[in-house]
Amino acid sequence: MTHLPVLVVLVPLVAALLIPVLALGSARAARIFALAALLLTQAMADLALHRVLVAGTWHYRLGGWAPPWGIEYVLDPLSGGMAVLVSFMALLTAIYAGPHLAGATRIRSGTFHALFLLLAAGLLGIVVTGDVFNLYVFLEISSLAGYALLASGTPRAAVATFRYLLVGTVAATFYLLGIGFFYAATGTLNMADLGARLAGGADPTLVGMGVALVTVGLAVKSAVYPLHGWLPDAYSHAPASVIPFVAAVMSKVGAYALFRMLYFVVGTAGAGGEALRLLGLAAAVAVVAGSAMALAQRDVRRMLAYSSVGQMGYVIMGFAIGNAAGVTGALLHILNHAVMKGCLFMSGGAVAWRTRVTSVREYAGMARRLPLTMAGFSLAALSMIGLPPTCGFFSKWYLVLGALQRGAWPFVVALVASSLMTAAYFLRLLERAYFGEAEAPPAGERRTPELPLSLLAPVLVLALGTLALGIFNQSIVTAVIRHALPGGL
Amino acid sequence: MGLGHANYLLAAALLLLGLHGLVTRPNLVRKLMAMSVLQVAVIMFFLSLAAKDRAHPPIVLDGPVVRARDYINPLPHALMLTAIVVSVSTTGVALALLIRIHRRYGTLEEPELLERLRE
C-alpha cells in the first residue's frame, strides 16, 4: 500500500519483461498474465486515486531519497485521474486485441503483449512522475514501444511510423534541451522545486528558451496543429489491436505533460502565458482545420484520425482559455474524448475485422449487418457531435462557457464551426449505415452474436461509458476535476 | 565571448546541422544520421553545463575534505548516460523499420518511396 505510486508503473514494466519468456511456453499463458497485470494495475490506480481524494496529495520518494536530490512520484487528483484513465483504456484495449491476434504465432503474440504493457508503463510513468528528466525517460519508453506497435500493421505502417519516429524523436530531443535550459537556470530537475525556483526569479532568457523548447516538444507529442503531421498516417495504417489505446490516451498524456509543465512548473505568468497564448491560436485553427480535413476523408480510420487532430485542439484550447471553466472543460474533454475515440476506433476496427470494410461508402447498410457494433459507434459519434446527455456535450459546454467568460469570441466561433463539421462527417456515415442500401452481404454472415464477446464487450462498455460520463459529469467535476485544477483557479 | 563559449557554439552548430539534414536529405538513412547528430548536440549542451575551470572528474579518491568546487558536476553526465541509451534504442528501432521498408519497397530514397506508395 505504501508503495502504490511506484507499483502502478512497476507492475506493467516487470510484466512486460516476463511476458516474452512466458510466451515461449504458451501464448495463452502470456496473454492471461498480461491481462492479469493490467487488471492489477487498474485496481491499484483506482485505489491510489481514492486515497488521494480522501487524504490529499501523495508524495513518494523513490529509494527513500528526499527530493530535490532523489526522484519523486507525485499522485494528486490530476495524475491519479490520468492513471485511472490510462490503465482502464489499456485493460479494455488488451481484451479487445484478443480476436485480432488469433492465428498469430507465439512469438508475435508475446511481442505484442510485452510492447503493449511497456507502452502502458511508459504512459503511467509520465503521469505519476514529479521529475522532469524522469518524464523524458518515460516519454521515450512509451514512444519506442508505440513505434514498434504502430509499425506492426500493414507495410505502409512501417513508412508512416518511421516518419513519426523522426518527428517524435526531434520533439523529445527539444523537450530534453528545454529541460537543460531549466537546469542551467535553476540547478534542479524536481518539478515542485523547479516551480518554486522559477517563481523566485531566474534568468529570463534561459527560462524563455526552456519554455519554448518544452512547449514545442510536447505540442508535437500531443499532435497540436500545425505539428500534427505524423498523426493521420500513423493512426490510419496501425493495427486495429493497438490503435484504440494509442488514439485514446497517447496524445492525451502528451497534453497532460504540457498542462503539468505550463500550469504547475513554469506558471502562467511570463513565458508560460506567452506559450499558452500561441497554443490557443494553434488550437483555434486546429479545431476548425481538423474537422474540415476529417470531412474530406473517404477512409473511416483516416477520418477518425483527422478528427483527433481537431479534438486535441479542444483540449489545448481549454488550457489556453485559462479560467476555471476552460481548464475544467479541457480536463473533462481528455477523459470524454478518450472514451469516445476509443469506442469509435474499436467499433471501426470490429467492423473491419468482420467485414473487411474500411471506407465510408461501404458502410451502407452496416447497421443491419452489425447492429450492436453500429449502435456503439453511433452513440460515440453522437457524443463527438455533442448531443446531450452524452458526455461530449458537457466538455464543450464548459469550453464555451470558459471562452464566453473571457470574452474570447474567436474561440466560441471556432468551437461552433467545428461542432457543425463534426456533425457533418459523422451524420454522413451514420445516414449510410442506417438508411443506405446494403451491398448484398456474403452468405453465411448472419451470426449470433455478431462478434466475439471480447470485441463486442469493450465497444459496448465504452459506448455506455459516453452516456454514463455525460449523466454523471457533474459528480466527476466536483469529485475529481475541481481538485485537479492548479492553485488560483 | 571567449573560448569558454566554444562548446556551446559547437552544440548549437550540431543542432542546426541535424535539423537541416532531417529536412533536406531525401535518403532515409541520412535522415536517421541527422537525427543522431541532433541528439549528440543536446548531449554536448548538457556536458558543457557540467564543466568547470580547473576541476577534477567527480571521483573522490582520498582526503577527508571534499570541496564541491574542485569537482565538475556529475549530474549532467549521469543524465546523458541515460540519454545515450535512449538514443541507441531509438536508432535500433529506426534501423529495424528501415529494413522492413527496404524489404517491401526496395528503396530508401524518399521520392522513389513516395512513388511506390502511390501505386
Side-chain angles (χ1 to χ4, degrees), chain B residues 87-105:
Chain B
S87 153
V88 169
S89 320
T90 315
T91 311
V93 173
L95 287 173
L97 289 177
L98 286 182
I99 292 173
R100 259 196 93 196
I101 294 171
H102 193 263
R103 273 197 198 137
R104 175 69 178 77
Y105 298 102

Side-chain angles (χ1 to χ4, degrees), chain A residues 133 136-137 140 144 147-148 151-159 161-163 165-166 169-170 173-174 176-177 179-181 183-184 187 189, chain B residues 15 19 22 28 31 35 38-39 42 45-46 49 73 75-76 79 82-83 86 89-90 93-94 97-98 100-101 104-105 110 113-114 117-118:
Chain A
F133 186 77
Y136 164 75
V137 175
E140 287 294 44
L144 284 168
Y147 301 144
S152 61
T154 56
R156 271 170 173 256
V159 181
T161 308
F162 184 77
R163 287 210 196 116
L165 183 145
L166 290 182
T169 306
V170 172
T173 307
F174 274 23
L176 180 61
L177 193 57
I179 295 309
F181 277 98
Y183 182 72
L189 295 166
Chain B
L15 186 85
L19 282 175
L22 268 170
L28 297 185
K31 277 187 195 288
M35 188 191 87
L38 184 75
Q39 288 172 317
V42 175
F45 174 73
F46 267 85
L49 290 178
N73 182 356
L75 185 78
L79 298 182
T82 313
V86 167
S89 320
T90 315
V93 173
L97 289 177
L98 286 182
R100 259 196 93 196
I101 294 171
R104 175 69 178 77
Y105 298 102
E110 198 164 45
L113 188 61
L114 289 177
L117 282 175
R118 248 178 249 122

Side-chain angles (χ1 to χ4, degrees), chain A residues 49-50 52-57 75-81 259-260 264 324 327-328 331 474-489:
Chain A
L49 177 62
H50 179 256
V52 165
L53 290 176
V54 173
T57 304
L75 275 173
D76 55 14
L78 177 60
S79 57
F259 179 59
R260 175 71 78 185
F264 289 80
V327 176
T328 302
L331 295 180
Q474 193 58 45
S475 17
I476 294 167
V477 169
T478 46
V480 185
I481 294 182
R482 202 157 48 88
H483 306 285
L485 297 182
L489 279 191

Side-chain angles (χ1 to χ4, degrees), chain A residues 331-348:
Chain A
L331 295 180
L332 194 60
H333 203 64
I334 287 184
L335 169 67
N336 291 345
H337 182 248
V339 172
M340 306 187 279
K341 198 44 78 59
C343 181
L344 288 168
F345 268 111
M346 276 186 187
S347 39

Side-chain angles (χ1 to χ4, degrees), chain A residues 85-143:
Chain A
L85 175 65
V86 170
S87 56
F88 180 72
M89 290 307 299
L91 177 63
L92 224 50
T93 309
I95 294 171
Y96 171 84
H100 289 282
L101 291 169
T105 59
R106 271 181 307 183
I107 304 285
R108 212 174 161 72
S109 161
T111 323
F112 170 82
H113 287 104
L115 289 169
F116 193 84
L117 265 78
L118 207 55
L119 174 60
L123 295 176
L124 286 165
I126 296 176
V127 166
V128 299
T129 189
D131 182 281
V132 288
F133 186 77
N134 204 230
L135 195 153
Y136 164 75
V137 175
F138 280 123
L139 195 65
E140 287 294 44
I141 290 177
S142 61
S143 298

Side-chain angles (χ1 to χ4, degrees), chain A residues 33 46 63 68 122-123 140 171 252 256 317 333 350 362 400 403 433 441 445:
Chain A
F33 182 73
D46 292 344
L123 295 176
E140 287 294 44
K252 307 299 184 326
Y256 159 86
M317 183 185 279
H333 203 64
E362 293 170 304
V400 171
E445 202 197 68

